[in-house]
């Protein structure tokens, strides 16, 4: 087992304890052979970090949401991940008065995202594996497809065309040197940053998966990264 897989397994254990609704919707991981089959047509070498991630779990549900035709057309317009909608494919996080919707993309959707970036003339090989939005702003978590330096960027892609994703732009965005650093941060968030839903807000229990403590989240983010 690689160090990253061990870190991912610890994260999963904490996730089961603190956000069981999210943990229960994670898909079974892919085999190495299944991953190799999906990336066979690409010229780059898949980073070990990306392989470990998708051997751990292949995103959330991965099934198209139960939407009517009009809703599907609205979600698909200009968004490669639009079909991957519906509650089963989303994590609903409450942060103060905001609802944050997060997605952990299955590998086929992540690769489609890479293809979307290249079609839009992005010159960097990136794998978008997670998306967070508050309905106004959208953050894309992307791994650089460099086996030696698979940096993770948490980039604000709101209204940004793929050709705008440049080295200069990425240098201004929050980043983690390795996926393990991001997972360690998320583990700490689960351990220290999740708070119980207040009794006065019990009606939200079915609508959200967990509530985050904004102060604690900020303190955790400000801690030195490894």
């Amino acid at each position: 087992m690689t160090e990253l897989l061990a870190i991912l397994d610890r994260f999963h254990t904490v996730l089961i304890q603190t956000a069981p609704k999210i943990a229960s919707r994670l898909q079974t991981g892919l085999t190495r052979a299944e991953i190799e089959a999906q990336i066979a047509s690409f010229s780059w070498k898949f980073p070990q970090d990306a392989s470990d991630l998708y051997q751990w779990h292949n995103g959330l549900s991965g099934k198209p949401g139960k939407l009517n035709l009009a809703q599907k057309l609205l979600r698909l317009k200009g968004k490669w991940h639009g079909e991957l909608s519906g509650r089963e494919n989303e994590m609903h996080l409450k942060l103060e008065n905001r609802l944050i919707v997060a997605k952990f993309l299955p590998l086929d959707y992540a690769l489609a995202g890479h293809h979307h970036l290249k079609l839009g003339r992005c010159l960097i090989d990136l794998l978008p594996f997670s998306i967070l939005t508050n309905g106004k702003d959208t953050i894309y978590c992307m791994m650089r497809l460099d086996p030696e330096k698979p940096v993770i960027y948490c980039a604000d892609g709101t209204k940004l065309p793929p050709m705008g994703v440049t080295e200069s732009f990425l240098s201004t965005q929050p980043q983690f040197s390795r996926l393990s650093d991001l997972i360690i941060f998320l583990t700490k968030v689960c351990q220290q940053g999740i708070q119980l839903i207040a009794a006065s807000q019990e009606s939200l229990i079915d609508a959200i998966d967990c509530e985050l403590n904004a102060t604690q989240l900020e303190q955790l983010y400000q801690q030195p990264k490894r």
Side-chain angles (χ1 to χ4, degrees), residues 42-62:
F42 295 96
S43 59
W44 35 254
K45 184 177 179 181
F46 208 48
Q48 184 62 48
D49 281 10
S51 181
D52 285 351
L53 175 65
Y54 284 104
Q55 286 182 67
W56 175 64
H57 283 294
N58 186 31
L60 287 180
S61 169

Side-chain angles (χ1 to χ4, degrees), residues 44-182:
W44 35 254
K45 184 177 179 181
F46 208 48
Q48 184 62 48
D49 281 10
S51 181
D52 285 351
L53 175 65
Y54 284 104
Q55 286 182 67
W56 175 64
H57 283 294
N58 186 31
L60 287 180
S61 169
K63 299 177 182 178
K66 298 175 182 178
L67 307 173
N68 62 40
L69 179 59
Q71 290 173 318
K72 285 185 177 181
L73 289 174
L74 285 172
R75 299 230 184 182
L76 282 169
K77 186 178 180 181
K79 297 181 180 180
W80 91 88
H81 59 90
E83 185 183 353
L84 198 65
S85 302
R87 188 67 175 88
E88 63 270 31
N89 294 301
E90 299 173 346
M91 295 172 274
H92 288 194
L93 316 173
K94 185 174 183 291
L95 180 62
E96 296 181 321
N97 295 321
R98 292 170 289 168
L99 174 65
I100 298 174
V101 176
K103 298 180 184 180
F104 171 22
L105 304 179
L107 181 56
D108 56 346
Y109 278 88
L111 290 171
H114 166 73
H115 186 60
H116 171 80
L117 287 168
K118 302 308 286 186
L119 285 177
R121 294 187 290 174
C122 174
L123 301 179
I124 308 167
D125 287 327
L126 298 164
L127 184 75
F129 61 89
S130 183
I131 301 168
L132 298 89
T133 181
N134 60 9
K136 179 182 178 183
D137 303 312
T138 303
I139 302 297
Y140 294 86
C141 294
M142 303 180 289
M143 180 184 295
R144 182 183 284 268
L145 291 169
D146 180 342
E148 301 302 321
K149 295 182 179 180
V151 178
I152 304 297
Y153 302 98
C154 299
D156 184 352
T158 308
K159 297 181 180 179
L160 182 72
M163 65 185 302
V165 183
T166 62
E167 295 286 4
S168 177
F169 166 73
L170 290 176
S171 70
T172 67
Q173 302 300 296
Q175 56 187 267
F176 296 83
S177 60
R178 301 296 296 251
L179 181 60
S180 56
D181 296 338
L182 172 60

